[in-house]
Amino acid sequence: MSKTYQQIARFLTQNPNEVAVHSVNAIAQRCGTHASSFVRFAQALGYSGFKDVQMLFQKRLETAAPGFEARIRVLEDELENRDDPTDFGFLRELVVKDIAALQSLLDDVDAAQLSHAADLLSEANTVYLLGQLRSAPVAEFLRYMLTMIGKRCVMLDPSGGLATHMAKTMTKQDVLVAVSFRYYANEVVSIVHDAREKEIKTVAISDSTLSPLAKSADAFFAVPEHRHTFSRSIAAPSCVAQAIVLATAARLQSGSAHPEIPIVTQV
């Protein structure tokens, strides 16, 4: 796809409910492109026009849960949110968006994928972890939790330029867990692709089914980002990561219904 078509496809997949109810002009304005580009995009997919594509989203909306933007509006009303130029307004905005994003996880995360990821991690000889740029904190969180439940793990640290070389030590008995969001770190994408070529199982957390990680992952979790601003939060991806580790811990702790992750200060 061209860059414009990639932009449109990303917008459609991350804002399906909004696509169903707004005019093509309004959708194009929000997407940051021209309405005619949406028409040509639809025709490139074999439809007569964008209206035919929109009908698919309207049918989905009949049974879909409230969208991200709708959740935000409800939460803002509940919190009596107004335009707040103060420093506390930054906190309020982040909290509202994070609550909406976390609620969306219950609708968006596939239970079968979660179980599959936990199976892979619990059976792996070594878990290799990969995350760069703002994805790095999620990978570090995974390393902490997996270490605490006694799972051998290796962080593919980019310092010294060794991440790619360290990845070559992975075997088919290991599992790679990769985290990456727009704009995807080239080294992360390359390592995930190489892992697929070597038939190494991969669990990936990203922001869209259009992510370059999706096609190579055995278990994939898309946590959409709805606004590309400085304040993009990692609360929802971290929640997914913690759920994966808890499910893994349950398997390692004799099928416990209440798995525990010890803390470093625990006696």
Side-chain angles (χ1 to χ4, degrees):
M1 288 186 179
S2 67
K3 288 186 177 180
T4 299
Y5 281 9
Q6 289 180 34
Q7 181 181 355
I8 291 173
R10 190 176 298 110
F11 184 87
L12 295 179
T13 57
Q14 295 193 354
N15 302 274
N17 292 354
E18 284 66 38
V19 172
V21 298
H22 292 297
S23 68
V24 65
N25 289 327
I27 296 170
Q29 184 177 12
R30 291 195 57 196
C31 182
T33 187
H34 198 274
S36 61
S37 297
F38 275 82
V39 176
R40 289 194 295 271
F41 176 84
Q43 292 173 341
L45 295 179
Y47 296 94
S48 61
F50 183 72
K51 193 65 179 178
D52 291 341
V53 174
Q54 192 174 38
M55 288 178 61
L56 301 176
F57 289 86
Q58 291 170 346
K59 290 180 180 179
R60 173 192 174 278
L61 187 59
E62 294 176 0
T63 57
F68 183 81
E69 298 296 337
R71 284 191 169 102
I72 286 182
R73 287 192 293 270
V74 171
L75 289 165
E76 286 178 339
D77 290 340
E78 290 179 355
L79 294 174
E80 298 181 352
N81 188 35
R82 300 175 179 85
D83 291 336
D84 188 351
T86 67
D87 293 337
F88 188 79
F90 295 139
L91 175 62
R92 180 189 293 275
E93 183 180 7
L94 285 170
V95 169
V96 167
K97 290 180 180 178
D98 278 345
I99 291 174
L102 291 169
Q103 288 177 336
S104 296
L105 291 181
L106 298 178
D107 301 316
D108 298 337
V109 172
D110 187 337
Q113 290 283 291
L114 182 59
S115 296
H116 186 42
D119 288 339
L120 291 175
L121 265 63
S122 63
E123 297 169 2
N125 181 34
T126 301
V127 178
Y128 285 79
L129 303 170
L130 178 62
Q132 297 179 8
L133 305 176
R134 70 184 188 86
S135 304
V138 181
E140 288 286 358
F141 189 39
L142 280 164
R143 175 165 67 167
Y144 164 74
M145 291 187 293
L146 289 169
T147 300
M148 288 296 99
I149 64 174
K151 195 68 189 179
R152 181 188 302 155
C153 56
V154 173
M155 177 67 73
L156 296 178
D157 193 337
S159 61
L162 293 176
T164 300
H165 299 283
M166 293 170 64
K168 293 179 180 179
T169 65
M170 292 187 295
T171 70
K172 292 183 181 180
Q173 288 70 47
D174 303 322
V175 170
L176 171 65
V177 180
V179 187
S180 188
F181 310 105
R182 290 186 72 203
Y183 295 93
Y184 314 100
N186 291 334
E187 190 171 29
V188 173
V189 175
S190 177
I191 290 174
V192 170
H193 174 74
D194 290 345
R196 167 54 61 187
E197 292 292 311
K198 296 178 181 178
E199 299 183 353
I200 295 170
K201 300 296 184 182
T202 300
V203 176
I205 301 174
S206 193
D207 57 351
S208 168
T209 53
L210 299 177
S211 164
L213 274 60
K215 62 183 179 181
S216 299
D218 297 276
F220 181 76
F221 300 89
V223 185
E225 293 184 313
H226 298 265
R227 292 187 184 180
H228 302 292
T229 64
F230 177 78
S231 61
R232 288 176 293 181
S233 173
I234 59 172
S238 296
C239 187
V240 171
Q242 190 164 10
I244 293 172
V245 176
L246 283 170
T248 302
R251 287 157 172 74
L252 297 177
Q253 296 171 14
S254 301
S256 173
H258 303 285
E260 295 183 358
I261 298 179
I263 58 178
V264 293
T265 57
Q266 187 172 357
V267 179

